[in-house]
Amino acid sequence: MKPFLGQVAEAFYREYNRDIQNMAFVFPNRRAGIFFKKYLSDIIDGPIFSPTVTTVSDLFIQLSELQPADHIYLLFSLYRHYSDLCPQKESFDEFVPLGETLLNDFDDVDKYMVDARQLFTNIHDLKEIDSRFGSPLTEEQISYIRRFWKNFMPIGESDNKSHFITLWEILYSLYERLRNDLRNNSMGYEGMIFREVAERADTGLILPYQKIVFVGLNVLNRAEESLMKTLKKNGIADFYWDNNAPTLQDEYNRASYFLKPNVKEFPSLLQLEKEQGNYVYPDIELLGVPSAVGQAKQCEIILQELMKSNAIPAPQKALNTAIVLPDEHLLLPMLYAIPSTISPINITMGYTLSNTTVAGLLDILADLQKHTRPNGDETLFYHRSVLSLLSNRYLQLSGQSAINRLTDDIRKHNKIFIPQKELGVTPLLRRIFVPLKNADEACDYLLDLLAMLQEELNADTTDNPDENSPEISVIALEREFIYHYYLSINRLKGIMQENRIEMNVATFFKLLKKLTAGISIPFEGEPLSGLQIMGVLETRALDFENVIILSMNEGIFPVKKVASSLIPYNLRKGFDLSTTEHQDSIYAYYFYRLIHRAKRVFLLYDTRTEDMASGEVSRYVYQMKYHYRLPIEEKMIGYPIMAKKIRDIVVPKDKYVISQLLRYHKGGDRYLSASAINTYITCPLQFYLSYVEKFQEIDDVSEGVDAGVFGSIYHSVMQQIYDRMTGSPIQAESLKAIEKDDKHITAFIEQAFAENYFKTPQKPKALTGQNYLVGEVIRKYVKKTLEIDRALTPFTYLTSEREIKQSHAIDTDREILLKGFIDRMDMKDGKIRIVDYKTGKDKIDFRNIEELFDKEKKDRRKAIMQVLMYAMMVTDEDHLSNPIAPAIYRVQELFSPQKFRVDIKMGFSSLDDYAQVDQEFRKEFDKCLQEIFNPDMPFVQSAHIGEDGPCSYCAFASICLQSAQ
Ligand code: SF4
């Protein structure tokens, strides 16, 4: 079917031939104009000058005496007048959301040529309504106004009403002041320009065209209507409406509501070529996808299939295909999903500045400045903001290895606040880590940074030879984002200086965030080649053979969000302003018109119902199915929802793995610890990843003392206390004396913090804030341990933190290297205790040795396996005849005298001599190690995968528990 714009081009060239060059064609958007020129050039048979091609908005600007004012200027001007009129002072950033609403409302008031004085009036008495609002309002309109004020009275009834009326009463003055101010500067907002042109139209506009042809419009505002009427009356206007689709002729379809009277009022002078034969609806496929981003992936499959079937004739000739994105958030996922063979790609859509990747970076910069801390002459930066900045892709471009070294250093030394001088490892970072004093400095700072980022991105693109890769398309977009941010900040700076507005840095960043939420970047790609990616508004007047629409969800297409307005619905109806009905009608028209001439239509929607998503498909789908009875092929794309065990991972012991395992054999360089063996029993795969491949979790900066560090500090303090008394009998009085010696305990605690938390063992320091409080808790635990130990006196303290390394035969051929760290060894009445301190909730009873190695057992006693392994190693190492008693100090139980025990219970009796279980323990222990080193036994996942258990705190969960696709 011939595209609508092609039909118009043909009709005009047929009728006017070369005279067409003296005409102006007015379209709803620029892209439609460019396509029109292309269709025209396809049919002309000799060189002619191109006719003028413009948009409605540009036509009004061309005819106006006013220049459009930019958005930031408008907000500032409005704010100045508002501050004069409003008794309650608001800061500019607080005012921005209200300012945006007011500008929308004033724009509407002017486009619909409403009498602002009448609208923004305060009715004290309902009787006033009839006398105030006579002609030109109809009785129906007046009844809407009456309804509003009737419901609103009495005015002082609630705070909300009082606030509303206070604001309402200044609106007319505000509107007038803003307009006068702008007019004095020969400027205007769009609505003001529209109104000014419409009001002057009758008295004479200078028109440089013989004819003005309006093409592809739909709903008109009063100013447009007024100008078109005047031009029609003067015999120089012509109109073409794209309303041929049967669905657009249907009077019950909202899409036709506003179109019908327009077609009647503004008829076409030329007859467009009749569309041949019976109308055939396009093939429509509806695809439900359980993810927003998944729709982009599905789109990739559709594009592949279209290429395979020649519906896209060649990857470079995808101009017949449009991907429509009602939700702009899907733009970047979509770019990444487009098959690399398809090129070029053209993007035409608005993209809100605050949704861009650079906005995310600015948020972190704002956070960075918010959390700086002065320290003498220097400034300290908070590690969280610093680390998020250092991991930012833009910053990584400026010197990845230097940045990674800096990141490691911060993590390794647990630096919470980092001095400025340590951070400037690249020129970009030197500019970033600077404290800001005021908004002026913040403007210059951001402008410098954005310019530097732009350079980094340019260099990155130059390094990439494939110009058409999706990465390059994304980088091009990112450069565009940075450029528009730069423009906005530069403008903001200029306006702040002109108006001598001062603000602090935090307010400046807040203001910038609010301002950018209202700024949309207009992407305008080269539209005459390549695959088209478009917003809904950009599809106006264009036709494509293949149309793929994403986010066909109710609330997104049609959009549910209405521009915020202070003008209540009934007053909008009363004054004939646009309402939600206009919006519904406009979007219905966009949809039905777009699919009218397509051959294939793919509608994708998100089926999820969690969070804000309703999973509901757009009303247009229901309408097509049940009202128009169109055949729709429906498919549900099933991405498996995360199940407990989604992906089976089995790692066979191949040559490489065996070579790594051999490193644990006698003569090798690796030692097996108790925790490695416990890891294997819990999950062989986790053992493989951690102890064969040596993948490690990133050691993050811990701001507070976590359980692990708490345990290490406690160990360290106990070690320092007892190290001084090692070897000699310990009496109760000595322990009592230490308990009372707070000075020494404090020194031990500070040293333990320096070693285990600050990682600066040479520089112990006084604790402050939260660390001081943790130190005091540790002091209590230490004193309680000493009190408990007093009951044991006299005893001999043998050693702390004893490291044992040995070779252990697991069968006749193989010896495995083992290592252990024994927290404490002491001796009482000839019995040697092997003590392990535990800060967790370990249990100290068990039934038999076998269950310590049982992979299926959920609540396996890991701590007991560990301390028995140490007992075995001490037995082999020291060859003592003394009984060896394993013991576990559970720090959490220290203050529960009934529960606190240190001896381990096997069955009903205490295990006070390891020799009782030695044989059986060795048998099970060796069996376990034989399995680890058995070349025929692969590493498999935990017996409890997906359950609340090992996977819930495993660093590799993202590998095992991700969807298998
Ligand atoms: S996620 Fe579970 S199965 Fe996978 S390695 Fe970790 S513990 Fe093992």
Side-chain angles (χ1 to χ4, degrees):
M1 219 180 288
K2 191 168 282 174
F4 169 67
L5 295 178
Q7 294 175 28
V8 176
E10 215 170 83
F12 270 80
Y13 189 64
R14 201 175 49 227
E15 182 71 20
Y16 297 101
N17 204 283
R18 277 160 195 279
D19 285 347
I20 199 172
Q21 59 201 21
N22 302 318
M23 299 178 181
F25 289 82
V26 184
F27 299 95
N29 57 37
R30 287 202 179 95
R31 173 159 280 203
I34 298 172
F35 268 82
F36 174 77
K37 277 192 190 172
K38 175 195 177 307
Y39 295 129
L40 193 59
S41 68
D42 288 346
I43 51 172
I44 56 174
D45 45 19
I48 61 166
F49 285 110
S50 168
T52 298
V53 163
T54 187
T55 63
V56 179
S57 179
D58 287 348
L59 177 71
F60 273 91
I61 293 169
Q62 187 194 352
L63 300 178
S64 173
E65 291 166 349
L66 306 173
Q67 284 302 309
D70 71 68
H71 189 68
I72 298 178
Y73 178 88
L74 284 171
L75 274 173
F76 262 106
S77 306
L78 187 66
Y79 174 63
R80 257 191 301 114
H81 297 300
Y82 175 82
S83 300
D84 283 350
L85 289 165
C86 191
Q88 296 153 344
K89 289 275 167 273
E90 278 170 50
S91 65
F92 181 59
D93 73 293
E94 287 167 339
F95 170 76
V96 169
L98 174 64
E100 302 272 9
T101 305
L102 291 175
L103 285 177
N104 275 339
D105 282 345
F106 292 171
D107 193 66
D108 250 12
V109 164
D110 281 344
K111 279 184 179 160
Y112 283 83
M113 303 180 77
V114 168
D115 182 337
R117 186 193 293 272
Q118 278 197 337
L119 171 65
F120 299 127
T121 195
N122 177 7
I123 304 291
H124 295 282
D125 185 343
L126 287 177
K127 285 187 213 112
E128 290 175 55
I129 289 177
D130 290 326
S131 56
R132 281 212 206 178
F133 306 113
S135 166
L137 302 188
T138 63
E139 189 42 49
E140 192 193 352
Q141 286 176 290
I142 293 173
S143 80
Y144 275 113
I145 298 169
R146 189 177 293 117
R147 224 177 288 167
F148 169 74
W149 285 108
K150 196 171 163 197
N151 288 336
F152 201 75
M153 285 180 187
I155 286 168
E157 190 185 43
S158 74
D159 280 355
N160 281 349
K161 284 185 183 180
S162 301
H163 283 142
F164 176 82
I165 214 70
T166 313
L167 185 58
W168 192 253
E169 278 177 339
I170 64 162
L171 287 191
Y172 178 66
S173 306
L174 187 57
Y175 166 84
E176 271 300 299
R177 283 187 185 210
L178 177 70
R179 282 170 53 91
N180 289 339
D181 183 0
L182 291 171
R183 198 177 295 111
N184 291 340
N185 289 297
S186 303
M187 286 197 278
Y189 47 86
E190 192 175 74
M192 190 174 156
I193 290 173
F194 273 44
R195 186 174 202 152
E196 185 261 336
V197 171
E199 283 172 352
R200 254 183 336 107
D202 256 343
T203 53
L205 293 169
I206 301 163
L207 293 169
Y209 314 113
Q210 280 178 5
K211 193 176 271 297
I212 298 184
V213 187
F214 293 89
V215 183
L217 306 187
N218 171 27
V219 175
L220 303 175
N221 58 47
R222 198 80 56 247
E224 288 166 340
E225 225 176 84
S226 174
L227 175 69
M228 284 160 73
K229 273 185 188 162
T230 308
L231 296 176
K232 180 183 146 197
K233 195 172 72 190
N234 296 338
I236 52 167
D238 197 355
F239 311 91
Y240 294 86
W241 308 91
D242 189 1
N243 64 336
N244 257 353
T247 46
L248 297 177
Q249 299 282 337
D250 174 10
E251 61 179 302
Y252 296 107
N253 190 338
R254 275 182 184 277
S256 66
Y257 277 12
F258 295 88
L259 196 59
K260 229 171 163 185
N262 288 340
V263 175
K264 201 165 162 214
E265 174 75 37
F266 303 107
S268 313
L269 297 179
L270 301 181
Q271 181 75 41
L272 299 188
E273 184 189 309
K274 281 257 175 301
E275 284 164 2
Q276 302 291 318
N278 287 339
Y279 175 66
V280 181
Y281 282 100
D283 294 336
I284 303 173
E285 235 181 72
L286 176 70
L287 297 114
V289 184
S291 143
V293 175
Q295 296 174 65
K297 282 235 111 303
Q298 196 54 36
C299 201
E300 177 187 359
I301 298 169
I302 296 171
L303 289 169
Q304 302 275 20
E305 279 167 6
L306 287 174
M307 283 195 288
K308 235 193 260 165
S309 65
N310 275 340
I312 293 179
Q316 317 76 24
K317 292 186 181 164
L319 183 60
N320 65 345
T321 303
I323 297 173
V324 183
L325 302 179
D327 176 2
E328 66 176 42
H329 291 97
L330 292 188
L331 176 60
L332 292 184
M334 192 63 249
L335 281 180
Y336 279 116
I338 289 173
S340 54
T341 44
I342 293 191
S343 155
I345 299 162
N346 286 295
I347 305 164
T348 309
M349 61 190 293
Y351 197 83
T352 311
L353 209 44
S354 59
N355 286 338
T356 60
T357 35
V358 72
L361 174 65
L362 265 67
D363 281 346
I364 312 175
L365 291 173
D367 210 52
L368 179 83
Q369 291 297 332
K370 200 159 127 197
H371 294 107
T372 55
R373 190 184 266 190
N375 184 29
D377 289 344
E378 65 179 357
T379 301
L380 305 178
F381 290 93
Y382 184 52
H383 75 278
R384 277 193 202 285
S385 325
V386 172
L387 288 177
S388 21
L389 275 171
L390 296 182
S391 62
N392 186 280
R393 199 182 77 77
Y394 288 131
L395 267 64
Q396 287 267 328
L397 291 175
S398 80
Q400 204 172 17
S401 51
I403 289 177
N404 290 348
R405 275 198 302 278
L406 177 61
T407 307
D408 289 347
D409 181 65
I410 294 170
R411 290 207 164 107
K412 195 165 144 218
H413 294 102
N414 211 39
K415 294 181 175 171
I416 306 224
F417 281 92
I418 306 130
Q420 181 182 2
K421 62 176 182 296
E422 289 182 21
L423 291 167
V425 296
T426 69
L428 182 63
L429 296 198
R430 271 195 286 287
R431 187 65 186 105
I432 284 185
F433 294 109
V434 169
L436 303 173
K437 290 196 207 73
N438 51 43
D440 260 2
E441 275 190 23
C443 276
D444 292 337
Y445 169 81
L446 290 180
L447 290 174
D448 283 356
L449 287 187
L450 293 174
M452 289 170 99
L453 287 180
Q454 195 69 277
E455 269 177 37
E456 301 287 0
L457 282 178
N458 283 344
D460 197 42
T461 325
T462 322
D463 291 347
N464 194 331
D466 181 6
E467 277 183 21
N468 294 319
S469 68
E471 287 77 14
I472 291 297
S473 306
V474 173
I475 289 175
L477 278 194
E478 287 177 341
R479 285 211 305 258
E480 196 76 11
F481 296 157
I482 291 175
Y483 170 69
H484 281 275
Y485 246 108
Y486 189 95
L487 290 185
S488 302
I489 295 169
N490 211 15
R491 187 73 188 112
L492 185 58
K493 181 184 169 189
I495 285 174
M496 283 187 342
Q497 281 172 351
E498 275 164 35
N499 294 278
R500 293 204 184 82
I501 294 177
E502 287 175 8
M503 61 181 88
N504 64 35
V505 177
T507 310
F508 169 79
F509 274 107
K510 257 199 275 172
L511 168 63
L512 189 61
K513 196 171 168 70
K514 286 180 184 167
L515 279 179
T516 50
I519 296 176
S520 183
I521 308 170
F523 285 117
E524 296 248 10
E526 162 56 55
L528 294 180
S529 61
L531 177 73
Q532 309 285 302
I533 298 182
M534 323 172 86
V536 173
L537 289 183
E538 288 72 20
T539 64
R540 287 175 291 176
L542 299 180
D543 295 302
F544 299 93
E545 278 182 29
N546 309 310
V547 174
I548 306 169
I549 309 179
L550 277 69
S551 310
M552 276 301 292
N553 284 85
E554 188 63 19
I556 303 179
F557 194 20
V559 67
K560 192 168 157 203
K561 201 174 62 184
V562 277
S564 63
S565 171
L566 275 183
I567 308 170
Y569 176 82
N570 278 333
L571 286 187
R572 284 191 162 269
K573 288 292 273 184
F575 285 90
D576 219 3
L577 281 159
S578 66
T579 58
T580 44
E581 285 104 50
H582 283 72
Q583 184 168 294
D584 285 352
S585 172
I586 288 170
Y587 273 83
Y589 173 76
Y590 293 159
F591 176 73
Y592 284 105
R593 197 213 61 76
L594 176 64
I595 66 166
H596 168 51
R597 292 185 189 85
K599 286 187 183 161
R600 298 160 210 91
V601 174
F602 300 88
L603 307 173
L604 288 85
Y605 71 105
D606 185 349
T607 54
R608 289 171 311 156
T609 50
E610 69 259 30
D611 299 331
M612 301 297 283
S614 72
E616 199 185 340
V617 71
S618 164
R619 68 186 70 167
Y620 305 139
V621 173
Y622 291 118
Q623 208 173 9
M624 288 190 296
K625 258 165 81 171
Y626 301 115
H627 183 64
Y628 295 119
R629 307 229 162 247
L630 300 187
I632 298 178
E633 193 182 332
E634 295 185 44
K635 284 185 196 160
M636 293 302 270
I637 309 298
Y639 293 125
I641 298 161
M642 191 153 98
K644 283 181 181 168
K645 184 169 183 176
I646 291 164
R647 179 185 271 187
D648 268 331
I649 302 179
V650 174
V651 180
K653 289 175 183 153
D654 61 14
K655 240 165 133 185
Y656 170 76
V657 173
I658 288 175
S659 72
Q660 296 303 302
L661 287 173
L662 280 175
R663 295 172 69 178
Y664 288 102
H665 284 56
K666 188 175 179 183
D669 61 342
R670 285 184 182 172
Y671 289 80
L672 217 50
S673 63
S675 92
I677 297 169
N678 267 327
T679 302
Y680 178 82
I681 303 168
T682 306
C683 176
L685 178 66
Q686 195 183 10
F687 171 86
Y688 160 74
L689 294 166
S690 303
Y691 296 98
V692 179
E693 293 295 348
K694 293 275 182 191
F695 292 135
Q696 282 174 349
E697 241 183 300
I698 294 172
D699 198 9
D700 214 347
V701 174
S702 68
E703 212 171 318
V705 174
D706 61 24
V709 177
F710 184 94
S712 306
I713 295 174
Y714 167 80
H715 285 189
S716 166
V717 176
M718 292 308 302
Q719 181 186 355
Q720 292 177 70
I721 290 173
Y722 277 122
D723 270 357
R724 302 188 309 172
M725 298 188 271
T726 301
S728 44
I730 295 173
Q731 304 298 338
E733 302 77 56
S734 341
L735 295 185
K736 187 89 192 158
I738 299 169
E739 274 174 65
K740 287 188 179 159
D741 188 353
D742 274 317
K743 199 172 143 209
H744 268 99
I745 296 180
T746 304
F748 294 150
I749 292 173
E750 287 171 3
Q751 179 61 39
F753 261 86
E755 281 169 17
N756 297 284
Y757 182 63
F758 299 119
K759 311 273 170 68
T760 51
Q762 316 302 335
K763 292 191 223 158
K765 59 181 179 187
L767 302 178
T768 54
Q770 212 186 0
N771 294 337
Y772 172 80
L773 296 177
V774 174
E776 289 310 296
V777 174
I778 285 177
R779 184 193 303 276
K780 269 179 146 185
Y781 280 120
V782 166
K783 285 188 175 184
K784 191 71 188 173
T785 311
L786 293 174
E787 186 190 318
I788 286 168
D789 282 353
R790 254 194 289 139
L792 198 70
T793 51
F795 67 91
T796 306
Y797 195 86
L798 298 177
T799 185
S800 303
E801 298 290 331
R802 176 177 173 192
E803 184 183 20
I804 307 183
K805 281 185 172 175
Q806 63 183 215
S807 170
H808 175 89
I810 56 168
D811 50 33
T812 46
D813 309 323
R814 291 176 297 176
E815 287 187 28
I816 302 300
L817 297 175
L818 302 180
K819 73 172 172 194
F821 286 96
I822 300 172
D823 287 343
R824 159 176 173 173
M825 284 175 71
D826 55 35
M827 186 162 69
K828 162 89 181 161
D829 301 333
K831 192 180 279 182
I832 293 172
R833 282 199 320 171
I834 291 185
V835 177
D836 203 51
Y837 294 121
K838 288 283 178 221
T839 42
K841 293 197 168 129
D842 298 84
K843 296 202 173 117
I844 54 170
D845 55 342
F846 72 118
R847 279 188 309 198
N848 54 52
I849 296 290
E850 207 178 323
E851 71 174 28
L852 298 179
F853 296 90
D854 183 357
K855 288 193 199 133
E856 302 289 328
K857 185 156 173 62
K858 275 192 174 166
D859 194 12
R860 203 170 51 80
R861 311 297 200 241
K862 294 181 199 161
I864 297 179
M865 198 300 284
Q866 180 181 353
V867 77
L868 290 183
M869 175 178 156
Y870 293 165
M872 178 185 78
M873 292 173 80
V874 169
T875 305
D876 290 347
E877 191 78 9
D878 296 354
H879 307 291
L880 300 168
S881 53
N882 311 50
I884 296 175
I888 295 176
Y889 269 52
R890 289 169 304 156
V891 178
Q892 287 194 4
E893 306 288 347
L894 283 174
F895 291 91
S896 318
Q898 287 86 17
K899 282 198 203 164
F900 187 77
R901 291 187 359 241
V902 297
D903 58 322
I904 290 169
K905 251 188 165 177
M906 187 166 91
F908 294 107
S909 45
S910 271
L911 180 60
D912 57 2
D913 184 359
Y914 165 74
Q916 297 164 18
V917 295
D918 180 56
Q919 225 180 354
E920 204 187 344
F921 183 79
R922 284 176 195 273
K923 188 177 126 215
E924 293 300 326
F925 184 82
D926 291 353
K927 211 161 94 185
C928 176
L929 265 60
Q930 283 158 10
E931 187 183 305
I932 296 177
F933 295 99
N934 181 346
D936 299 323
M937 286 202 66
F939 292 113
V940 295
Q941 288 156 306
S942 167
H944 304 288
I945 183 168
E947 295 170 17
D948 280 356
C951 304
S952 52
Y953 44 83
C954 173
F956 307 111
S958 59
I959 300 173
C960 291
L961 303 183
Q962 67 177 222
S963 314
Q965 286 176 30

